[in-house]
Amino acid sequence: KERERLLLEMELQRSERLKTVSTLAAGMAHEIKNPLTSIKTFVEYIDEKYQDPGFRAKFKNIVPKEVDKIANIIDQLLDYSKVDRVNLKTTDIHRILDYAIDLYNNEFLKKHIKLIKSYNALHPLIECDENQMKQAFINIVLNSIEAMPNGGELAIKTGDINNALEISIQDTGSGITKDKLERLFDPFYTTKEKGTGLGLFIVHQILQNNKGRIAIDSEVNKGTTVKVIFEKEAG
Ligand SMILES: Nc1ncnc2c1ncn2[C@@H]1O[C@H](COP(=O)(O)OP(=O)(O)O)[C@@H](O)[C@H]1O
Ligand SMILES: [Mg+2]
């Protein structure tokens, strides 16, 4: 009986993964095809319009942007390709958070973002893949930075709540309308000109593989709170 249940569970996980992979493949085909089409169109006109300074200026502006877009998608898909290989170790979540924050210290200064750190968890140790958790918090912090182009506050807090470790990352940025909240984890869902829409999708997958979960709440023009929660094992 137990064996049967396990096999069924593995089969379900496998079909979930296949579904994700085919969604990703379809999304990627679409996202990469558009920039390639625009690059190709420019190249096709290059002989005819070479003397037109307007055309050349547009060419110089658009082509590098489209190439960057494809490169960003590929970089993030490479991150995604690693999320299945979890290397679980006992890890101090405060150290992981500090790592993600320190990467952006200059950015905080430049963008006038005030950092408020309050680490209150007395039990910050969890079993997780260190590199993946770094990646997850980097993606979350980066979204907050991008949501506060004119400065603001970023509060990073931890605490033991009930039987769980809770990490909250709260910004005073643009916020998200309620109707968009449910799409945030969809691959390629983005509202940014240069976005890939893969950041939160990858965060979600990472948390799934590391036995954590994520919840996002937001209010337009007030800001966004991202909560990452790890339930403590019973006993
Ligand atoms: N902290 C935040 N504040 C406002 N909007 C956010 C925040 N985090 C995520 N979002 C919204 O969720 C979308 C998806 O985020 P993500 O998956 O990281 O992709 P990307 O950052 O490439 O757009 C963003 O385009 C943005 O609209
Ligand atoms: Mg992002």
Side-chain angles (χ1 to χ4, degrees):
K1 262 275 146 64
E2 178 65 9
R3 215 180 101 82
E4 243 168 65
R5 196 186 58 80
L6 273 176
L7 279 175
L8 190 66
E9 203 168 278
M10 272 166 62
E11 186 53 40
L12 275 174
Q13 278 177 5
R14 208 173 88 89
S15 70
E16 272 303 307
R17 248 204 317 273
L18 286 178
K19 249 194 342 222
T20 315
V21 167
S22 68
T23 315
L24 260 188
M28 187 177 127
H30 179 256
E31 294 296 315
I32 288 183
K33 235 180 135 100
N34 286 342
L36 284 179
T37 303
S38 90
I39 292 168
K40 185 159 181 235
T41 309
F42 272 115
V43 173
E44 279 169 356
Y45 279 100
I46 204 161
D47 282 335
E48 191 181 321
K49 296 222 170 172
Y50 193 75
Q51 304 305 333
D52 173 355
F55 174 82
R56 289 215 305 272
K58 218 171 146 191
F59 190 88
K60 253 174 77 177
N61 182 21
I62 287 181
V63 170
K65 268 195 204 154
E66 301 290 23
V67 171
D68 279 349
K69 179 136 202 236
I70 296 172
N72 285 340
I73 290 174
I74 289 172
D75 282 346
Q76 295 211 277
L77 285 171
L78 287 174
D79 287 341
Y80 177 70
S81 72
K82 296 183 210 136
V83 305
D84 256 1
R85 275 170 265 147
V86 276
N87 176 15
L88 297 179
K89 276 205 198 103
T90 305
T91 310
D92 184 340
I93 207 76
H94 291 156
R95 199 168 49 77
I96 304 278
L97 288 171
D98 281 340
Y99 175 91
I101 293 167
D102 287 346
L103 281 183
Y104 294 109
N105 271 335
N106 284 330
E107 209 76 1
F108 295 144
L109 276 177
K110 242 183 16 206
K111 302 231 162 101
H112 306 285
I113 293 170
K114 184 178 166 214
L115 180 69
I116 300 158
K117 244 178 27 172
S118 78
Y119 294 171
N120 297 313
L122 297 173
H123 306 286
L125 297 181
I126 54 164
E127 291 290 314
C128 68
D129 182 306
E130 177 170 339
N131 287 325
Q132 290 191 8
M133 284 324 292
K134 283 179 179 167
Q135 186 64 55
F137 286 115
I138 286 171
N139 290 1
I140 294 170
V141 168
L142 193 55
N143 279 338
S144 286
I145 294 174
E146 287 170 346
M148 298 188 286
N150 305 315
E153 281 180 9
L154 180 66
I156 302 189
K157 298 179 185 161
T158 72
D160 307 295
I161 287 164
N162 298 328
N163 211 25
L165 168 64
E166 187 177 290
I167 301 115
S168 95
I169 295 117
Q170 182 171 23
D171 65 55
T172 57
S174 54
I176 305 160
T177 53
K178 289 273 176 269
D179 61 307
K180 288 181 184 143
L181 279 177
E182 62 190 43
R183 304 192 53 195
L184 301 182
F185 302 107
D186 292 355
F188 303 107
Y189 175 74
T190 183
T191 57
K192 300 168 192 170
E193 201 198 341
K194 285 193 169 181
T196 62
L198 290 171
L200 287 178
F201 168 71
I202 291 173
V203 171
H204 189 265
Q205 299 291 317
I206 288 178
L207 287 172
Q208 205 166 19
N209 293 342
N210 287 271
K211 301 201 175 88
R213 53 194 176 84
I214 179 169
I216 302 186
D217 202 11
S218 189
E219 209 170 318
V220 176
N221 294 328
K222 281 210 157 158
T224 301
T225 305
V226 178
K227 282 187 178 158
V228 173
I229 297 151
F230 293 94
E231 307 288 344
K232 291 275 162 65
E233 313 267 313

